[in-house]
Amino acid sequence: MSNFPDSLLGFSVGLLETGLVMAQSAMKNAQSTIDKLTGQNNGEVKGAPLNGPEDLDLAVADFVNRLTRVYRYAPLELAKLPTTSGDVLAAARESFRNVNLKDPRNLALPVQLALSVGTLFTESALRGLVTLDVVGPTKVPRLVEDFFEMFTESPVFVGLEYGELIDRCERRLAEAPDDYRARMELARVLSKCGRYEDADVEFKKIPPESGYYATALHEAGTALYRAGRFEAAVRTEVQSMDANPADDRPRLVMFQAAERMGGYPLFVPQAYRMEVKAGFATPTVYFEDIAARIGIDKTSGGRGTAVFDYDNDGWLDIAVTSAYGGATLYHNNGDGTFTDVSVTSGLDTATNTFAVIAGDYNNDGFIDLYITRSGFYVGEGQLFRNNGDGTFTDVTAEAGLKNVWGPAFTASWVDYDGDGLLDLFVANNLGGLFERKTPNRLFHNNGDGTFTEVTEQAGLKTIWPTIGGAWGDYDNDGRMDLFLSNGIGRSQLYHNNGDGTFTDVSDLAGVTAMGFGSPAFWWDYDNDGWMDIGQFIWSDHDDVIYTMRNGQGPQSGQSMRVYHNNRDGTFTMVSRELGLTECWGTMSGSFGDFNNDGYLDVALGNGSPKLDRLDPMIIFENDGRKFRNTSFAAGLPLTGKSHGVNMADLFGDGRLSILVGAGGAYPGDLLTTSVYCPTSLPGNYLNVRLIGVKSNRSAIGARVSIEAGGKKQFREVSGGTNFGCLPLEQHFGLANIVKVDALEIRWPSGSRQRFEGLPVNKTLEFTEGQSAWGDVYANSRKDLS
Amino acid sequence: MQHENEQQKFGEPLSDFSLQSLGGPTVSLSSKLQGKKGAVVVIWSSTCSHCIRYDKYFNSFEERYPDLSLVVVSARQGETLDAVRMAAAQRRLKFCLVHDPTSSVARQWFTQQTPRAFLVDANRGLLYRGAIDNYKYVDDPEHLAYLEPALDQFLSGSAITRQETSSYGCAIQSVYYVLPKVFTKST
């Protein structure tokens, strides 16, 4: 945390939050008053405004976001001002065209407009202050530039408007070949489209006097790296460092390109080389990427991953969402290979998607999927019902979820009220640089295939942009509580009161640290029977490069957070004590005992939308005392970009593979999904699957504990916490223990079962209320060793 | 309820279509199949940055596969004939390109993204659908072709081992609310 804001922002985050709440409630009250005056019913549930915003407040936010884009792409010359004004007018028309001017509410338009604009800017300004508080003043300019790029471009690329952007830049350059800003824009867009060689040509036309020279060379080097021209990439990055030795970004891309060549070529000056100090702790398990070998070889802008058995054949299948194109479903053939069944299953109809979560919401024995969209822009979520015949049907509308549109990164299945039905929680980010925060939303499952929104009754309103929501029972009262990891702002913990309402206990619990929170999760990393919190943090490029070179993050940086549960409703942040001092740009991640030693390990998927953020995936082995970064020593690549990280025993043989949906925000991010499988079985194990009867059938929320070798281990079945969804199967590492003395299940219904004397190295299935258990792979004759 | 993709079964004929070609005359799939063993139909878009990679491949396709026709259908929502013509001229596209202003073929063939390739036999029977390859960059050692092996197996009379690979690419219809038009036409 930076020291700077202590003086400038002597007032608390709480005050900023009050400002945000006031701005929102002022707007809401005004809307409600206007509605009353004009006799409007504000209670109706509206569908997603697919043709554009229908109310004034949204239209204002939309217009401001459009203005930022007009500004971004406007030529600098005064002579071009008329075109720009035209763009502004056109943007206004577009934003406001669906706001019904005959609506009586618009009688109050002048009042509402002023309030809408005023409060929107107040909110954005307050969030800006919080950002300043988190990163400190020196890093703000680049961060603002990056956020500006991210939010303004998202609609351009998703909406396939980059063709027009290229035309526009080319037209401009035909008139003014020395407009270097336009040329940089052109080269960048080409790069983001994957036209790397064309981008390189344009970047190289930027001369030293332009002010963009070093950056242009760095970005050309990145484009060349991505085009597979590694030596040219190294040469270009050397030129970039010649022009600006202070920038470490070229150093990293140069290093990554050199790695692909087998080492630095002789022409690279010593001063430009780097040594990676992070990631070389001695591993207890080694990995190899088996994705292509097992049939997961497709190029995809992979984002979320869900591992689940969609056809009940016992083998775990894989769903991968995609930034561009449709979602993929891979069927596990049970012989060590997978078949792409995306088209047949109907899941490829879900285009431009983010998170995917698996849960049997209708308790029919077949696991269904909910998929979110966007994250920097609004899109509709989709509910896919598993028909049980290998196909999925989009039932979003009939489930009453058609109005779930928003900038959602993640979602979770949870039975928050213990009625045996999975409810749905959707976490929303900000949908634009200027946006009134779209609320996170909680939907109650009515049991008849439909859902009813209960966000307000539940008291789950938040004004911070949420990246991840994690459900877990921190106080062992049998009810699922909610931890929110927010992108800008403080984290939040909501206690489940058991009556359908929640209380924000963040301050009391001591989990309010600020930062760029990524997805979070509940885990019992120290096996004490109390669920702790893991929270990923996104760090900027400088802190990541610093970490790679120094083996730990800078003093001002933020590492992944672990909050230890003090068993009294409070938590203590223990990251540093656990050895978690490295800063990575974590976008998502997952946990699991991949070295089968009885302690939960963790994997971090890293990067950012920017093309040069080729951050490697990182794993930390937990030995019960410390977390050690063994990534590169264990065989993981030094380059990457990873979104949906997941862990699963894909072959039923006790080896926990790490799956990585690798892909980015731009169509040019052409990467394939990776599956890092341990090269050998690192220890004994027990996999546990649960079937709820009185509880929800997926048993999401169930607590499983085992006693073996004098030690206990605890797991809670999660319904999705990161961009993907952990397998519902619970994996326990047992090292050299050969017998499980006891296994206890606390079902979400509250009932408990205890089993004694279980075998190891099996995948066992337990059904609620039944004393006999099944051996999932007992009838499998396939030898996968 | 069965998923709509289930209606499109391997071996069974896909629906025929008849669309305006860039040159003017209407082209139907059945007419392109006359005297041929089969055809490759690609759902395509002039703005799609993934499609651009296959310009050369498509330009020389019928030379390399004289027994097959290639029909490329421009299917992107809102893509005008003029825009497609301009792209074809700029990129010197020589292959048979037809314009589907209402994305009807994409809809009937359950396609959401470009490019997606279909291999059909002379009776429009579906043999392969999906991606062309897993392109990441030129000379990628892990490069895998998907369409070509299917073509070769079909032409040599053997069974097609990999019939389906969902494709990566650009969405044909915006799934977001139709905001964009960042570059609204100034008046």
Side-chain angles (χ1 to χ4, degrees):
Chain A
M1 181 83 74
S2 155
N3 292 324
F4 167 81
D6 292 346
S7 52
L8 182 73
L9 301 176
F11 52 94
S12 69
V13 172
L15 203 59
L16 290 176
E17 194 164 319
T18 310
L20 284 165
V21 172
M22 279 173 63
Q24 288 215 317
S25 67
M27 193 57 228
K28 201 174 163 219
N29 289 339
Q31 184 71 57
S32 147
T33 310
I34 290 164
D35 285 346
K36 276 184 198 141
L37 285 172
T38 54
Q40 295 296 298
N41 173 17
N42 199 28
E44 64 186 297
V45 175
K46 285 182 182 168
L50 287 174
N51 296 312
E54 287 164 11
D55 79 49
L56 190 66
D57 194 35
L58 277 177
V60 166
D62 183 60
F63 176 57
V64 178
N65 284 317
R66 275 171 192 285
L67 279 186
T68 60
R69 294 196 283 271
V70 169
Y71 164 76
R72 162 98 195 269
Y73 298 117
L76 288 172
E77 274 179 30
L78 275 180
K80 289 286 163 190
L81 209 56
T83 318
T84 309
S85 325
D87 284 345
V88 171
L89 281 177
R93 259 202 306 277
E94 196 66 26
S95 295
F96 292 94
R97 75 189 155 97
N98 287 297
V99 178
N100 182 4
L101 290 173
K102 289 180 185 154
D103 187 327
R105 274 184 293 183
N106 291 318
L107 293 171
L109 193 118
V111 181
Q112 203 186 346
L113 189 63
L115 197 64
S116 191
V117 173
T119 54
L120 182 71
F121 278 101
T122 308
E123 278 187 37
S124 300
L126 288 173
R127 287 199 186 96
L129 278 176
V130 172
T131 311
L132 182 69
D133 181 20
V134 173
V135 301
T138 52
K139 288 185 174 175
V140 160
R142 189 186 280 176
L143 202 70
V144 167
E145 197 186 317
D146 287 356
F147 278 17
F148 192 61
E149 189 175 333
M150 213 144 57
F151 280 111
T152 50
E153 283 191 351
S154 208
V156 176
F157 282 91
V158 171
L160 294 197
E161 284 194 87
Y162 47 76
E164 287 176 55
L165 183 46
I166 291 170
D167 290 348
R168 200 178 165 112
C169 288
E170 283 175 342
R171 277 201 305 274
R172 170 71 189 153
L173 286 166
E175 287 170 19
D178 293 340
D179 184 343
Y180 302 122
R181 183 178 168 225
R183 193 163 305 277
M184 280 296 279
E185 192 65 53
L186 172 64
R188 283 174 168 160
V189 178
L190 290 169
S191 213
K192 286 164 184 168
C193 289
R195 293 172 59 184
Y196 298 123
E197 308 263 354
D198 297 338
D200 175 51
V201 171
E202 294 301 327
F203 278 127
K204 296 272 172 68
K205 287 181 188 164
I206 307 272
E209 67 274 14
S210 64
Y212 295 104
Y213 186 59
T215 307
L217 286 169
H218 165 56
E219 294 187 22
T222 304
L224 288 164
Y225 173 89
R226 285 174 167 270
R229 292 178 53 198
F230 302 121
E231 183 171 343
V234 173
R235 281 188 193 282
T236 307
E237 295 293 4
V238 167
Q239 288 176 309
S240 175
M241 283 201 83
D242 286 342
N244 179 15
D247 192 350
D248 263 347
R249 292 174 303 171
R251 188 194 300 278
L252 178 58
V253 175
M254 193 195 305
F255 166 79
Q256 287 169 324
E259 274 298 305
R260 301 290 289 266
M261 296 170 68
Y264 280 111
L266 288 173
F267 62 79
V268 178
Q270 206 60 37
Y272 294 173
R273 300 185 183 201
M274 70 180 263
E275 185 191 348
V276 174
K277 289 193 176 148
F280 287 98
T282 309
T284 60
V285 60
Y286 295 84
F287 293 92
E288 60 177 334
D289 188 354
I290 58 166
R293 206 164 78 210
I294 62 176
I296 299 177
D297 47 24
K298 203 183 67 146
T299 302
S300 76
R303 275 181 168 160
T305 52
V307 183
F308 66 114
D309 179 9
Y310 78 91
D311 56 351
N312 291 346
D313 65 353
W315 297 97
L316 294 176
D317 312 297
I318 300 170
V320 185
T321 55
S322 177
Y324 293 87
T328 299
L329 182 64
Y330 289 107
H331 175 255
N332 187 335
N333 301 323
D335 60 357
T337 67
F338 287 77
T339 300
D340 183 343
V341 293
S342 322
V343 184
T344 312
S345 69
L347 282 183
D348 84 312
T349 59
T351 51
N352 304 83
T353 46
F354 237 111
V356 52
I357 54 166
D360 185 1
Y361 79 94
N362 55 1
N363 288 336
D364 68 350
F366 292 95
I367 297 174
D368 313 291
L369 296 174
Y370 184 77
I371 291 178
T372 69
R373 283 217 160 73
S374 191
F376 293 118
Y377 194 50
V378 287
E380 275 192 293
Q382 270 176 296
L383 177 64
F384 281 95
R385 189 185 60 213
N386 184 339
N387 300 320
D389 59 358
T391 67
F392 289 79
T393 300
D394 178 353
V395 293
T396 317
E398 66 181 81
L401 292 170
K402 202 64 186 164
N403 59 337
V404 190
W405 65 285
F409 272 125
T410 59
S412 335
W413 291 113
V414 58
D415 181 10
Y416 74 93
D417 58 349
D419 63 357
L421 298 162
L422 287 178
D423 310 301
L424 177 67
F425 176 74
V426 181
N428 281 311
N429 183 33
L430 282 180
L433 208 51
F434 294 90
E435 200 225 27
R436 216 175 282 293
K437 157 81 168 109
T438 306
N440 298 326
R441 307 177 78 172
L442 180 64
F443 295 89
H444 180 254
N445 185 337
N446 302 322
D448 58 358
T450 68
F451 292 79
T452 303
E453 179 158 15
V454 292
T455 314
E456 292 227 1
Q457 298 94 297
L460 284 179
K461 292 193 315 181
T462 184
I463 34 73
W464 302 109
T466 307
I467 307 296
W471 294 84
D473 175 14
Y474 75 90
D475 55 353
N476 289 345
D477 65 356
R479 293 189 285 263
M480 303 302 280
D481 310 298
L482 173 64
F483 179 76
L484 293 183
S485 180
N486 295 320
I488 301 170
R490 66 179 177 94
S491 312
Q492 286 171 286
L493 179 64
Y494 285 96
H495 177 254
N496 185 338
N497 301 323
D499 58 358
T501 68
F502 294 79
T503 305
D504 185 342
V505 294
S506 320
D507 285 322
L508 184 70
V511 295
T512 54
M514 308 280 282
F516 294 105
S518 292
F521 53 91
W522 292 94
W523 60 339
D524 184 12
Y525 74 91
D526 57 352
N527 294 332
D528 68 349
W530 293 80
M531 299 305 286
D532 311 296
I533 299 168
Q535 184 187 19
F536 296 119
I537 300 291
W538 182 84
S539 293
D540 68 22
H541 213 170
D542 290 336
D543 288 0
V544 172
I545 297 172
Y546 184 98
T547 297
M548 291 183 86
R549 299 185 73 187
N550 295 282
Q552 60 176 7
Q555 274 300 314
S556 60
Q558 295 202 24
S559 62
M560 176 195 160
R561 290 181 191 149
V562 177
Y563 286 104
H564 178 253
N565 188 333
N566 299 327
R567 312 177 192 186
D568 60 358
T570 71
F571 292 79
T572 305
M573 205 200 293
V574 292
S575 316
R576 199 157 278 279
E577 290 77 355
L578 293 173
L580 293 166
T581 56
E582 300 176 5
C583 297
W584 298 100
T586 307
M587 299 193 286
S588 93
S590 195
F591 65 94
D593 184 4
F594 55 65
N595 61 357
N596 290 1
D597 70 346
Y599 292 99
L600 289 168
D601 312 299
V602 64
L604 284 64
N606 305 314
S608 98
K610 291 189 77 74
L611 289 174
D612 63 350
R613 285 294 299 262
L614 293 157
D615 301 16
M617 191 185 76
I618 293 298
I619 52 172
F620 285 97
E621 281 193 15
N622 170 12
D623 62 11
R625 293 180 304 279
K626 293 268 185 191
F627 284 77
R628 297 173 309 111
N629 183 350
T630 60
S631 312
F632 311 127
L636 299 184
L638 283 143
T639 176
K641 177 169 281 198
S642 25
H643 266 109
V645 177
N646 218 319
M647 291 189 208
D649 180 358
L650 296 174
F651 312 113
D653 61 0
R655 289 179 298 164
L656 210 53
S657 290
I658 304 174
L659 283 83
V660 187
Y666 300 112
D669 258 323
L670 299 170
L671 300 162
T672 45
T673 304
S674 296
V675 178
Y676 298 105
C677 184
T679 51
S680 60
L681 182 66
N684 292 337
Y685 70 96
L686 178 69
N687 291 330
V688 176
R689 293 190 195 177
L690 303 179
I691 297 176
V693 175
K694 193 174 167 209
S695 307
N696 71 80
R697 205 172 187 289
S698 300
I700 288 168
R703 180 79 65 88
V704 188
S705 62
I706 62 163
E707 295 168 42
K711 288 181 186 168
K712 279 194 157 191
Q713 291 186 51
F714 300 84
R715 302 280 188 276
E716 205 163 79
V717 182
S718 161
T721 57
N722 56 26
F723 287 113
C725 190
L726 297 168
L728 303 168
E729 175 178 293
Q730 303 302 303
H731 173 87
F732 292 90
L734 293 167
N736 53 4
I737 297 166
V738 294
K739 194 181 114 188
V740 173
D741 299 317
L743 178 142
E744 277 188 14
I745 303 165
R746 186 190 75 188
W747 295 92
S749 64
S751 69
R752 289 168 187 267
Q753 283 184 275
R754 183 178 168 91
F755 300 84
E756 293 185 352
L758 296 172
V760 300
N761 296 346
K762 295 276 183 195
T763 298
L764 304 182
E765 189 167 77
F766 299 85
T767 303
E768 186 174 11
Q770 290 183 15
S771 54
W773 38 263
D775 180 348
V776 174
Y777 298 113
N779 298 323
S780 167
R781 293 186 305 276
K782 283 154 186 151
D783 178 12
L784 300 172
S785 58
Chain B
M1 187 178 134
Q2 215 181 23
H3 189 271
E4 55 187 16
N5 283 342
E6 282 290 278
Q7 296 161 26
Q8 195 187 62
K9 293 196 188 307
F10 288 101
E12 292 182 11
L14 297 185
S15 53
D16 195 8
F17 58 79
S18 189
L19 293 164
Q20 191 185 349
S21 69
L22 290 205
T26 299
V27 170
S28 70
L29 175 55
S30 45
S31 67
K32 291 289 286 183
L33 279 165
Q34 278 170 15
K36 298 281 185 180
K37 286 185 178 166
V40 168
V41 177
V42 181
I43 308 293
W44 179 94
S45 154
S46 67
T47 42
C48 169
S49 62
H50 302 281
C51 292
I52 288 177
R53 288 199 294 271
Y54 303 100
D55 284 359
K56 277 187 195 158
Y57 179 77
F58 294 153
N59 270 343
S60 61
F61 185 88
E62 289 189 350
E63 277 169 40
R64 278 177 295 121
Y65 292 99
D67 291 336
L68 298 174
S69 279
L70 173 70
V71 186
V72 175
V73 183
S74 110
R76 161 83 177 156
Q77 169 193 21
E79 194 165 44
T80 63
L81 187 59
D82 280 349
V84 180
R85 278 199 176 119
M86 198 186 294
Q90 277 173 357
R91 285 152 58 181
R92 299 196 185 92
L93 306 182
K94 296 187 293 185
F95 47 85
C96 172
L97 190 50
V98 296
H99 183 233
D100 183 5
T102 59
S103 315
S104 62
V105 178
R107 218 171 21 255
Q108 282 167 31
W109 291 19
F110 314 115
T111 299
Q112 276 73 29
Q113 58 274 74
T114 55
R116 171 164 289 176
F118 292 83
L119 170 63
V120 295
D121 62 21
N123 301 313
R124 299 195 310 276
L126 175 63
L127 300 169
Y128 173 85
R129 65 181 168 198
I132 294 165
D133 61 1
N134 73 343
Y135 180 94
K136 292 202 290 293
Y137 55 86
V138 183
D139 301 330
D140 175 12
E142 291 165 5
H143 177 260
L144 273 176
Y146 300 131
L147 177 64
E148 293 242 319
L151 300 182
D152 293 340
Q153 285 169 337
F154 167 58
L155 292 173
S156 67
S158 48
I160 292 170
T161 44
R162 190 166 185 166
Q163 293 184 303
E164 176 179 303
T165 309
S166 64
S167 42
Y168 178 61
C170 293
I172 285 169
Q173 280 210 298
S174 175
V175 291
Y176 295 78
Y177 68 117
V178 194
L179 276 185
K181 288 298 143 203
V182 174
F183 308 106
T184 36
K185 306 285 179 276
S186 307
T187 49

